[in-house]
Amino acid sequence: MRHVPLRMCVACRKRRPKGELLRILLTETGFHLDPSGKLPGRGAYVCPDNPECWTEKRLRRFAGGRAKALSEALVARLGGKDGQDTHLPAG
C-alpha cells in the first residue's frame, strides 16, 4: 500500500490528501498558485472546492494584511471558468 501525503488547509484546518488541495505561495512579487507543487518555497494549502475557505477572514492566518487581495484573487481564479493566470498580485 502506498502512502498518500496529507496537508492541512490554512482556512478550514481540515486534513486532506495533498493532491486535493491547491498550493499557494506568498513571494515578494505577490501570490502564486502552484497546482503542480513544483515551485520552490514552503507555501500553504487551501481547499479549491470550498468557497468558504477563500474568505478574507479565513485567509488572514496565512496572508495577514494581504488576505483581502488573496481572497478576491481566489474568487476570481477559482470562481471563474478560464483560470489561466497563475500569478496573483500581492495587492
Side-chain angles (χ1 to χ4, degrees):
M1 184 170 174
R2 187 179 166 135
H3 173 72
V4 178
L6 297 176
R7 298 292 182 262
M8 186 184 306
C9 173
V10 294
C12 67
R13 311 295 281 178
K14 290 183 183 174
R15 290 189 180 273
R16 295 173 70 179
K18 183 179 173 182
E20 292 180 13
L21 297 172
L22 178 65
R23 185 169 180 242
I24 303 170
L25 294 170
L26 177 59
T27 64
E28 295 173 357
T29 59
F31 299 102
H32 297 274
L33 299 181
D34 184 21
S36 66
K38 298 193 185 229
L39 291 176
R42 184 160 179 168
Y45 295 86
V46 69
C47 300
D49 56 354
N50 187 1
E52 291 181 14
C53 290
W54 314 336
T55 63
E56 177 184 356
K57 181 180 177 184
R58 295 269 191 146
L59 293 171
R60 226 176 262 146
R61 182 181 297 119
F62 170 67
R66 297 184 257 184
K68 184 176 182 181
L70 177 57
S71 174
E72 291 171 355
L74 280 171
V75 169
R77 169 83 158 91
L78 299 175
K81 37 185 169 164
D82 62 349
Q84 296 298 320
D85 187 24
T86 59
H87 173 74
L88 305 173

